């Protein structure tokens, strides 16, 4: 069993993990949106697959989900 670090050291590690997790989530959202945009622009899923960590099936599912979310979001007219 791995020994538990002292409370201060544990708290520091948890802050680092929280920060890295938040950055990863933000980057993942940005990548997902780019996948949807690329597909909408006509980039083939097989090409997207070669340039992302996603299979073409995952890229398709991600793009479909993003497109559905965007379609459900009401557009506000420019003011």
């Amino acid at each position: 069993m791995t020994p538990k670090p002292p409370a201060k050291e544990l708290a520091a590690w948890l802050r680092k993990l929280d920060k890295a997790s938040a950055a990863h989530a933000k980057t993942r959202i940005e990548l997902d949106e780019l996948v949807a945009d690329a597909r909408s622009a006509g980039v083939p899923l097989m090409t997207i697959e070669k340039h992302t960590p996603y299979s073409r099936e995952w890229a398709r599912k991600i793009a479909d989900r993003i497109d559905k979310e965007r379609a459900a979001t009401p557009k506000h007219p420019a003011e």
Side-chain angles (χ1 to χ4, degrees):
M1 186 169 160
T2 304
K4 189 173 179 180
K8 282 181 119 173
E9 188 178 337
L10 177 63
W13 279 112
L14 295 178
R15 282 191 303 275
K16 288 178 185 180
L17 288 168
D18 289 343
K19 184 177 178 181
S21 294
H24 174 74
K26 181 179 184 222
T27 303
R28 171 80 188 262
I29 290 167
E30 291 171 359
L31 178 58
D32 289 357
E33 290 175 350
L34 284 172
V35 165
D37 292 343
R39 187 184 68 169
S40 292
V43 178
L45 289 170
M46 290 181 71
T47 302
I48 293 171
E49 174 184 39
K50 292 177 184 176
H51 295 271
T52 67
Y54 303 138
S55 69
R56 69 177 184 252
E57 183 61 20
W58 271 106
R60 183 191 62 75
K61 288 179 180 182
I62 289 165
D64 287 347
R65 178 181 51 82
I66 296 291
D67 290 345
K68 186 177 179 180
E69 289 171 1
R70 287 176 176 171
T73 303
K75 304 236 187 278
H76 297 288
E79 295 179 23

